[in-house]
Amino acid sequence: MSILVNRETRLLVQGITGREGEFHSTAMLEYGTSIVAGVTPGKGGQSALDGRVPVFDTVAEAVEQTGANATCIFVPAAFAPDAMLEASAARVPLVVCITEGVPALDMLRVSHVLRASGTRLIGPNCPGMTSVDEAKVGIIPGNIHARGPVGLVSRSGTLTYEVVQAMTDAGMGQTTCVGIGGDPIIGTNFIDILDMFNQDPETEAIVMIGEIGGEEEEKAAAFCAREVRKPMAAFIAGRTAPPGRRMGHAGAIISSGGEGTAESKRVALEEAGVRVADSPSHIPQLLRDAGVG
Amino acid sequence: MSILVNRETRLLVQGITGREGEFHSTAMLEYGTSIVAGVTPGKGGQSALDGRVPVFDTVAEAVEQTGANATCIFVPAAFAPDAMLEASAARVPLVVCITEGVPALDMLRVSHVLRASGTRLIGPNCPGMTSVDEAKVGIIPGNIHARGPVGLVSRSGTLTYEVVQAMTDAGMGQTTCVGIGGDPIIGTNFIDILDMFNQDPETEAIVMIGEIGGEEEEKAAAFCAREVRKPMAAFIAGRTAPPGRRMGHAGAIISSGGEGTAESKRVALEEAGVRVADSPSHIPQLLRDAGVG
Amino acid sequence: MKLQEYRSKEILARHGVPLLSGQTATTPEEARAAAADLGGAVVIKAQVLVGGRGKAGGVKLASSPDEAEQAAREIIGLDIKGTTVKTVLVAPAADIAHEYYLGLILDRSSKAITIIASAEGGVEIEETAKTNPDAILSLPLHPLIGLQEHEVRRVAFVLGLPADLRKDFATVLRGLYAAFIESDADLAEVNPLVVTDDGRLLALDAKIVLDDSALSRHPDLEAMRDLNEEEPSEIAAREAGISFIKLDGSIGCMVNGAGLAMTTMDLVKLAGGEPANFLDIGGGAKQDKVTAAFKIILDDPNVKAILINIFGGITRGDEVARGIVEARAALTRDVPMVVRIVGTNSEEAKPILAEANLITAESLDDAAAKAVAAAGAAA
Amino acid sequence: MKLQEYRSKEILARHGVPLLSGQTATTPEEARAAAADLGGAVVIKAQVLVGGRGKAGGVKLASSPDEAEQAAREIIGLDIKGTTVKTVLVAPAADIAHEYYLGLILDRSSKAITIIASAEGGVEIEETAKTNPDAILSLPLHPLIGLQEHEVRRVAFVLGLPADLRKDFATVLRGLYAAFIESDADLAEVNPLVVTDDGRLLALDAKIVLDDSALSRHPDLEAMRDLNEEEPSEIAAREAGISFIKLDGSIGCMVNGAGLAMTTMDLVKLAGGEPANFLDIGGGAKQDKVTAAFKIILDDPNVKAILINIFGGITRGDEVARGIVEARAALTRDVPMVVRIVGTNSEEAKPILAEANLITAESLDDAAAKAVAAAGAAA
């Protein structure tokens, strides 16, 4: 078992004929993901990835023709909100938006519409997810994974890879690794994913990678204390970040009032019984200490 | 038992100091309804109905101070959408809007927001409802009712009174009588109320009063065939209405393509096993024929 | 409220929809001048609110001002389904390569503004719905965020529009949507939307129906009302705040409440009579309204009896009874009246009605039967 | 992006918020002229983006042009939390009867634009949140329909505004909301919003923070950027498309990905060093970006060593390695470099780095330790 995506995933890629879309779609296909359709308005009837994937003008048509049940969005920020709404209107149940730099007010609108219509949105500004040896949707390098009992959820991109690599190197494999995105307004938060891992029978332990900004880690800690009985380890990036500055991610900012610090998140997680690592490389050992592997 | 309102209803009246609001609030109070608060912006701190009801500036404050769990709206059409949104934002679970003449595009917005937030909206342009001998919310004359086993739902106002009077005169009492309103866009449709009556143990039979326009009666018929096992009688107004003309109610119009006729509704209901009366006065006998009373 | 074609086009043009607007004319001479002014071939179209004007001879092509004058002479004064043509629209003619249908309706069932589109334009959409329902795209829009780009694209692709016209199509659909929203419409349609031989996208005909409940916030649109096409009695009723529709029967009806008014008509018919009108006098009917209602009903010479059916709720029966008696005293034409008053203060109403020698009834069925009998006796 | 007070007021004024706008001045003489022009008492306010200017002496009252000139002389050139004051705003002074706080924030937690209001204005809202949280109203707005009339009324009632100012308050709140939406803000606040002795409602100070992700669709707002208040290195980084924040340590960092960049800083600190910067070079880092990043890092004289940490994903390790080697060749200043490249094509990167005699590391912990050691040796 795994969460969100698996061998039944029939993936659609919005923006498949763009540079990023084509590059990562090829990598997903090579990982074994079943990509059933691409969408690029005006290129309907053509095919992509050396003739392996049919291209449609609209998501509605792609879904009707191919039964796609998930979509991965690579279109530029100015068009990403419309792409997400289009996928939701066509009743695609899982929308993964990789695109970075989507304005927050657009995301306010989009995330509300998608949530109300029962569409699961991951991202935007996220690396997507991999259910190891089943399906990869997004841009996480496929070769850093090994299959195993740990679920991982993260707000970050390359930091996720760092932690996954450290785990794989230490012989600790993963069920699913999910990057939920670094923006202030995202579709799916820590708690949603933690809940899925908590209910997934094959996931025996959970790793959570947070960073400064917002209160999502603190809320997740409260959820963990209340609901999660599986061993957990965490890492919070940004202990050295100065207040009031945006650290790359639009969401990574400590308010001038001092909310959102790494320390506050660390304390909340530790109080909830989560082991918090000083370095990503310490995570496998913390999980071993908790009896995993 | 009854549906929607009962002795636990703690009613708030929006627009209580207006002419209509005051007149009908007095009648509701006399019927035994527990009116706990009124709202008129700018008149907070005063009282209404001869000192019997405190008035607040905002619904939020009224709810906080009095625990109101239902509201009846009498404000003019230009302000009614905002009043409904205010009630919903203050988490009042039941909103009954009497006001007539609310523009349809406003109702599109309001009904969607209220439905998504779990607020039950009855109306607008409706007479409200009476749970006989328990609570009356709206403008249905209290003295036409008698308590009994029949639930009644209607798109109309005075026609509802006509049917209720005919039933009471024939010795056939009611649990709850609900007018859902005559506009094209209303918060609660026939099916919602039929479902409630179907599940209410004390309601043994159901009367439905429809009229020309739209397809709600046809949809209700399909629902009845599928779900309702209680005896039912119906009346559809407008057999003599010409196509393409709006018959008083904003929703009462037969399209020029011929949809929405009384005949189409009548046939649909009869096929669903509902007895359809030629005159409101025949309804008690139809129910008796079905074994009621 | 339905708007005439030239009014609908006025609104769409304001929102950037490409069309050939033309000029209105009320005389053949004006039509000639308009055609001369526009130059080239024109089409002369009767401005009426009823459908089927084409089949009725209300649309004609003209290749010169002479022909335009002649065409207008034939159309102006024509009776189309009971409406006499007073105005024609003289618009440039277009060479049509393809006709589409594009409309927006307020769909009560899905509670959404819904795009209706078809590549089979030029015929009524109800016709296509019967003959070829698969040719119609019906796309409900989200009620809170409205028309989105992906919806515009989708309609263009489903219609199979030429790629180089997709951008122009977006202008048409966005303009139609903006017109719908900003005028509080129930319906806004372009039929046909055409691609011309020289590759232009144009709205050749347009129809907008407004939400009557929203008219009060659009005085500019209210001013577009075509009184020429309304019954004078209906105009008088609207001004008196009475909901009234003229019909062909002999029994005038005066009722409080729309549903009860329809029911009263139905029961007149069931009793063997024919209702002369739908009339909802509204809540709390005061004497001035009763007076106005009598006048409107009796202005119809077909009316042989009046059935008054009042269910007192807000309305108090005794007040209505007094209103009836007093209003009747001022009537210029006397017909039998059957009065039924029930509900609030109906007991107090009885002696008032009895004293005035009005026919009364307890039940609605009874009232209808008495009215039919009275009308029969009076005829 | 934070906007200066006078810029924020410019935007609010466009949306109808009543305020005393005043004039900016960059010299005492200009301030004098502005005061003379405005007439009466004025307030001279340092235009800086950091908080606490009042306590730092950056706000002064002046009752004459002479006093205004003197006040401006004292304020211009003042150092406020590391920022040197270049501009002051000279605005008419107001007699204050009561101060309120009114703000709109984009609240990530409730995923809603949220009204924050308090009858205790004039102090920072974070301060009130600590000392008297009950005095703050926090009202999230529906994300799809936005500010509604009942919300405007509610805030006015909760603040206890005089009844005759409720209409003006509606203008303020609606204007603030429109400004927020139309400029894609993260924060828009008026603090204090005052009632004057003569009963006027005025925004005396204003602050708008914009959403950086939306700036590309607001070139007019982008033009309001105050380059005077930014580190030259940060301006250069932004122009090169690099995410960079200057810090005080000695170890320069070059990383791909924001989370990994923060983590790299954290591990430098954990290893006993101090990071000199946050630097995210982004995905697919090409040579020109690496060159720009080196220049930005080395322009800081405190930098004694550089730690390069690249996790190849989109980015290919060998390309980055070549970029580093080539960029280093052009550097004007040589400092020890520790390079860690993992992920895509990291094996191919190794010989390139080895040949160039760069210090390499396998793990991030190791890389941080080596960088701290190198910086210590270089110091």
Side-chain angles (χ1 to χ4, degrees):
Chain A
M1 286 287 285
S2 49
I3 67 167
L4 291 166
V5 295
N6 55 38
R7 290 201 178 81
E8 312 301 316
T9 298
R10 296 175 62 77
L11 188 67
L12 161 75
V13 177
Q14 287 171 263
I16 197 169
T17 57
R19 208 172 59 88
E20 297 284 299
E22 189 173 359
F23 177 83
H24 290 290
S25 294
T26 304
M28 287 189 272
L29 212 52
E30 280 166 7
Y31 193 80
T33 311
S34 165
I35 304 185
V36 297
V39 165
T40 300
K43 298 201 175 172
Q46 304 182 14
S47 69
L49 311 190
D50 301 329
R52 288 177 288 181
V53 177
V55 177
F56 298 90
D57 286 320
T58 65
V59 174
E61 197 188 352
V63 168
E64 195 183 295
Q65 299 288 323
T66 70
N69 58 15
T71 181
C72 193
I73 295 176
F74 287 100
V75 307
F79 307 108
D82 188 58
M84 290 183 259
L85 292 171
E86 181 176 9
S88 174
R91 303 192 180 282
V92 178
L94 176 67
V95 175
V96 181
C97 185
I98 308 301
T99 310
E100 188 181 343
V102 181
L105 289 190
D106 290 356
M107 280 317 302
L108 212 59
R109 204 164 48 96
V110 169
S111 68
H112 189 86
V113 170
L114 266 63
R115 187 160 282 243
S117 71
T119 306
R120 166 67 63 196
L121 169 65
I122 307 283
N125 189 17
C126 80
M129 75 274 301
T130 306
S131 284
V132 182
D133 297 345
E134 298 184 47
K136 163 175 131 92
V137 174
I139 63 172
I140 302 178
N143 59 2
I144 61 175
H145 294 287
R147 183 75 187 193
V150 184
L152 181 144
V153 57
S154 169
R155 265 167 79 180
S156 188
T158 50
L159 173 56
T160 308
Y161 315 164
E162 178 79 36
V163 175
V164 172
Q165 182 81 65
M167 291 172 66
T168 297
D169 287 349
M172 188 164 279
Q174 307 94 43
T175 48
T176 303
C177 298
V178 188
I180 58 174
D183 277 359
I185 309 287
I186 51 177
T188 295
N189 56 25
F190 278 126
I191 292 176
D192 300 314
I193 301 291
L194 290 171
D195 195 27
M196 292 180 208
F197 278 136
N198 200 28
Q199 290 180 40
D200 174 38
E202 206 178 314
T203 298
E204 295 169 19
I206 306 170
V207 171
M208 176 177 146
I209 312 295
E211 61 186 34
I212 54 163
E215 306 174 333
E216 288 307 310
E217 287 84 357
E218 285 85 343
K219 285 194 197 166
F223 175 81
C224 291
R226 208 168 57 236
E227 302 280 344
V228 181
R229 292 292 162 268
K230 297 180 180 184
M232 283 191 64
F235 177 76
I236 304 292
R239 292 173 84 171
T240 47
R245 303 302 305 268
R246 171 171 142 162
M247 305 300 280
H249 286 162
I253 183 165
I254 299 169
S255 81
S256 46
E259 286 91 32
T261 64
E263 199 49 31
S264 140
K265 294 167 190 301
R266 189 186 177 96
V267 168
L269 286 164
E270 282 177 344
E271 281 174 0
V274 177
R275 287 152 202 257
V276 184
D278 283 332
S279 164
S281 66
H282 301 177
I283 283 177
Q285 190 55 49
L286 290 186
L287 287 178
R288 288 234 163 71
D289 294 347
V292 181
Chain B
M1 285 284 287
S2 49
I3 67 167
L4 291 166
V5 295
N6 54 38
R7 290 202 176 81
E8 313 301 317
T9 298
R10 296 176 62 77
L11 188 68
L12 162 75
V13 176
Q14 289 171 262
I16 197 167
T17 56
R19 207 173 58 90
E20 296 284 299
E22 190 173 359
F23 177 84
H24 290 292
S25 294
T26 304
M28 288 189 271
L29 212 53
E30 280 166 8
Y31 193 79
T33 311
S34 163
I35 303 184
V36 298
V39 165
T40 299
K43 298 201 175 172
Q46 303 182 13
S47 70
L49 311 190
D50 302 328
R52 288 177 289 180
V53 177
V55 177
F56 299 89
D57 287 319
T58 65
V59 175
E61 197 188 352
V63 168
E64 196 183 293
Q65 300 287 324
T66 68
N69 58 15
T71 180
C72 193
I73 296 176
F74 287 100
V75 306
F79 307 108
D82 188 59
M84 291 183 258
L85 292 172
E86 180 176 9
S88 174
R91 304 191 178 283
V92 179
L94 176 68
V95 175
V96 181
C97 184
I98 308 301
T99 309
E100 188 181 343
V102 180
L105 290 190
D106 290 356
M107 280 317 302
L108 212 58
R109 205 164 47 95
V110 169
S111 70
H112 189 86
V113 170
L114 266 62
R115 187 160 280 243
S117 71
T119 306
R120 166 67 62 196
L121 169 66
I122 307 283
N125 189 16
C126 81
M129 75 274 299
T130 306
S131 284
V132 182
D133 298 345
E134 299 184 49
K136 163 174 131 92
V137 174
I139 63 173
I140 301 178
N143 58 1
I144 62 176
H145 294 286
R147 183 74 187 192
V150 184
L152 182 143
V153 57
S154 170
R155 265 167 80 179
S156 189
T158 48
L159 173 55
T160 307
Y161 315 164
E162 179 77 37
V163 175
V164 172
Q165 181 81 65
M167 291 172 65
T168 297
D169 287 349
M172 188 164 279
Q174 308 94 43
T175 48
T176 304
C177 298
V178 188
I180 59 174
D183 277 358
I185 309 287
I186 51 177
T188 295
N189 55 26
F190 278 126
I191 293 177
D192 300 314
I193 302 291
L194 290 172
D195 194 27
M196 291 179 208
F197 279 136
N198 200 28
Q199 291 179 39
D200 174 39
E202 204 176 318
T203 298
E204 294 169 19
I206 307 170
V207 171
M208 175 176 148
I209 312 295
E211 62 185 36
I212 54 162
E215 307 175 332
E216 288 307 310
E217 288 83 357
E218 286 86 342
K219 286 194 196 164
F223 175 81
C224 292
R226 210 168 55 237
E227 303 279 345
V228 181
R229 293 290 161 269
K230 299 181 179 181
M232 283 191 65
F235 177 75
I236 304 292
R239 292 172 86 173
T240 49
R245 302 301 306 269
R246 170 172 143 161
M247 306 299 281
H249 286 163
I253 182 165
I254 300 170
S255 80
S256 45
E259 286 91 32
T261 65
E263 199 51 30
S264 140
K265 295 168 190 301
R266 189 186 177 95
V267 168
L269 286 164
E270 283 177 342
E271 282 174 0
V274 177
R275 289 153 201 257
V276 185
D278 283 332
S279 164
S281 65
H282 302 176
I283 284 177
Q285 190 55 49
L286 291 184
L287 287 177
R288 287 233 165 71
D289 294 348
V292 182
Chain C
M1 182 177 102
K2 289 182 195 171
L3 294 180
Q4 295 285 13
E5 174 191 3
Y6 74 97
R7 295 298 202 178
S8 304
K9 283 183 168 175
E10 229 176 283
I11 294 171
L12 292 185
R14 274 211 296 267
H15 290 94
V17 175
L19 44 77
L20 305 172
S21 44
Q23 301 171 14
T24 54
T26 55
T27 65
E29 293 69 28
E30 278 177 28
R32 179 195 184 87
D37 192 27
L38 293 166
V42 294
V43 58
I44 318 288
K45 300 197 271 186
Q47 297 298 290
V48 288
L49 297 175
V50 293
R53 66 180 175 183
K55 283 179 196 153
V59 178
K60 290 185 192 297
L61 267 168
S63 56
S64 68
D66 278 354
E67 283 183 35
E69 181 176 346
Q70 180 53 31
R73 198 174 308 281
E74 290 165 26
I75 295 173
I76 295 171
L78 196 67
D79 180 284
I80 301 181
K81 294 185 185 169
T83 300
T84 304
V85 179
K86 294 263 171 70
T87 305
V88 293
L89 176 63
V90 184
D95 292 319
I96 298 170
H98 196 96
E99 296 183 303
Y100 303 89
Y101 174 92
L102 184 66
L104 290 168
I105 58 159
L106 183 71
D107 183 38
R108 55 172 88 197
S109 196
S110 58
K111 287 185 188 168
I113 299 170
T114 300
I115 301 175
I116 309 286
S118 171
E120 301 190 357
V123 294
E124 284 193 21
I125 193 72
E126 290 86 353
E127 194 54 35
T128 311
K130 275 176 205 150
T131 56
N132 191 6
D134 290 345
I136 297 177
L137 171 72
S138 169
L139 191 63
L141 305 180
H142 192 290
L144 303 185
I145 61 172
L147 183 67
Q148 298 293 311
E149 281 312 297
H150 67 85
E151 289 154 338
V152 176
R153 284 198 305 273
R154 179 153 174 229
V155 178
F157 284 119
V158 169
L159 291 181
L161 280 165
D164 59 345
L165 286 178
R166 281 206 289 267
K167 212 174 145 190
D168 290 339
F169 177 75
T171 305
V172 172
L173 181 47
R174 278 196 221 111
L176 189 66
Y177 180 77
F180 188 100
I181 295 293
E182 287 175 29
S183 56
D184 268 296
D186 270 343
L187 170 91
E189 74 175 20
V190 171
N191 187 23
L193 173 69
V194 304
V195 175
T196 61
D197 283 344
D198 56 350
R200 286 176 302 155
L201 193 69
L202 290 174
L204 278 207
D205 193 358
K207 182 164 132 192
I208 292 179
V209 180
L210 302 173
D211 174 8
D212 292 351
S213 295
L215 269 180
S216 62
R217 60 186 180 198
H218 300 289
D220 56 326
L221 301 179
E222 172 67 51
M224 291 185 176
R225 188 184 288 278
D226 193 340
L227 296 177
N228 171 44
E229 282 213 32
E230 293 189 40
E231 285 286 338
S233 57
E234 293 182 8
I235 297 171
R238 194 176 53 248
E239 282 164 2
I242 291 169
S243 187
F244 175 82
I245 292 169
K246 196 185 164 317
L247 299 169
D248 298 329
S250 63
I251 298 170
C253 300
M254 188 192 307
V255 190
N256 67 330
L260 192 57
M262 278 190 274
T263 302
T264 304
M265 289 159 53
D266 294 350
L267 291 188
V268 164
K269 175 96 175 175
L270 196 69
E274 288 290 342
N277 63 273
F278 165 93
L279 190 154
D280 171 12
I281 201 166
K286 299 226 179 70
Q287 194 197 319
D288 55 342
K289 269 202 183 179
V290 175
T291 304
F294 271 134
K295 179 161 173 17
I296 290 160
I297 292 171
L298 289 175
D299 271 352
D300 177 359
N302 293 336
V303 169
K304 302 283 179 268
I306 297 178
L307 166 47
I308 301 169
N309 184 23
I310 303 293
F311 204 113
I314 315 177
T315 315
R316 286 169 51 183
D318 53 343
E319 279 186 5
V320 177
R322 263 188 291 275
I324 291 167
V325 172
E326 283 168 32
R328 194 180 65 154
L331 291 182
T332 50
R333 182 159 85 86
D334 200 18
V335 298
M337 290 190 190
V338 180
V339 185
R340 174 189 181 239
I341 295 180
V342 282
T344 310
N345 289 13
S346 58
E347 285 308 312
E348 290 84 341
K350 279 180 188 164
I352 301 167
L353 298 172
E355 196 180 336
N357 276 323
L358 288 159
I359 312 168
T360 58
E362 279 296 309
S363 80
L364 179 48
D365 306 303
D366 184 34
K370 283 178 172 160
V372 172
Chain D
M1 182 175 102
K2 290 182 195 170
L3 294 180
Q4 295 285 13
E5 174 191 4
Y6 73 98
R7 296 297 202 178
S8 304
K9 283 184 168 175
E10 230 175 283
I11 294 172
L12 293 185
R14 276 210 296 267
H15 290 94
V17 175
L19 43 77
L20 305 172
S21 44
Q23 301 170 16
T24 55
T26 55
T27 64
E29 292 71 28
E30 278 177 27
R32 179 195 185 86
D37 192 27
L38 293 166
V42 294
V43 58
I44 317 288
K45 299 197 270 186
Q47 297 298 290
V48 289
L49 297 175
V50 294
R53 66 181 175 181
K55 283 180 197 152
V59 179
K60 290 184 193 297
L61 268 168
S63 56
S64 68
D66 278 352
E67 281 183 37
E69 180 176 347
Q70 180 53 29
R73 201 177 304 281
E74 289 166 26
I75 295 174
I76 293 172
L78 196 67
D79 181 284
I80 301 181
K81 294 185 185 169
T83 300
T84 305
V85 179
K86 293 263 172 70
T87 305
V88 293
L89 177 63
V90 183
D95 293 319
I96 299 170
H98 196 96
E99 296 183 302
Y100 303 89
Y101 174 92
L102 183 66
L104 290 168
I105 57 158
L106 182 70
D107 183 37
R108 55 172 88 198
S109 198
S110 57
K111 287 185 188 169
I113 298 169
T114 300
I115 301 175
I116 308 286
S118 172
E120 301 189 356
V123 294
E124 285 194 22
I125 193 73
E126 290 87 353
E127 194 53 36
T128 311
K130 276 176 205 150
T131 56
N132 191 4
D134 289 346
I136 297 177
L137 170 72
S138 169
L139 190 62
L141 306 179
H142 191 291
L144 303 185
I145 61 172
L147 182 68
Q148 299 294 311
E149 281 313 295
H150 67 86
E151 289 154 337
V152 175
R153 285 198 305 271
R154 179 153 173 229
V155 177
F157 283 119
V158 170
L159 291 182
L161 281 164
D164 60 344
L165 286 178
R166 282 205 289 266
K167 212 174 145 191
D168 290 340
F169 177 76
T171 306
V172 172
L173 181 48
R174 280 197 220 110
L176 189 65
Y177 180 76
F180 188 101
I181 295 292
E182 287 176 29
S183 56
D184 267 296
D186 270 343
L187 170 90
E189 73 175 22
V190 172
N191 186 23
L193 173 68
V194 304
V195 174
T196 60
D197 283 345
D198 56 350
R200 287 175 301 155
L201 192 68
L202 290 173
L204 278 208
D205 193 359
K207 183 163 132 192
I208 292 179
V209 180
L210 302 172
D211 174 9
D212 291 350
S213 294
L215 269 180
S216 60
R217 60 186 180 200
H218 300 290
D220 56 325
L221 301 179
E222 171 67 51
M224 291 184 175
R225 189 184 288 280
D226 193 339
L227 296 177
N228 171 44
E229 280 213 32
E230 293 189 38
E231 285 287 336
S233 59
E234 292 181 8
I235 297 171
R238 194 175 54 247
E239 283 165 3
I242 291 169
S243 188
F244 174 83
I245 292 169
K246 195 183 165 320
L247 299 171
D248 297 329
S250 62
I251 297 171
C253 300
M254 187 191 307
V255 190
N256 67 329
L260 191 57
M262 278 190 273
T263 303
T264 304
M265 288 159 53
D266 293 349
L267 291 188
V268 164
K269 175 95 175 178
L270 196 69
E274 288 290 342
N277 63 275
F278 166 93
L279 190 154
D280 171 13
I281 200 165
K286 299 226 179 68
Q287 196 197 319
D288 56 341
K289 269 204 182 176
V290 175
T291 304
F294 271 134
K295 180 161 173 17
I296 289 159
I297 292 171
L298 288 175
D299 272 353
D300 177 359
N302 293 337
V303 169
K304 301 284 178 269
I306 297 178
L307 167 47
I308 302 169
N309 183 23
I310 304 292
F311 203 112
I314 316 176
T315 315
R316 286 167 53 182
D318 53 343
E319 278 186 6
V320 178
R322 264 189 293 273
I324 292 167
V325 172
E326 283 168 31
R328 193 181 65 154
L331 292 181
T332 50
R333 183 157 85 87
D334 201 19
V335 298
M337 290 189 191
V338 180
V339 185
R340 174 188 180 241
I341 296 181
V342 282
T344 309
N345 288 12
S346 59
E347 284 308 311
E348 290 83 342
K350 278 181 187 164
I352 300 167
L353 298 172
E355 199 182 333
N357 278 323
L358 288 159
I359 311 167
T360 58
E362 278 298 307
S363 80
L364 179 48
D365 305 303
D366 183 33
K370 282 176 173 162
V372 172

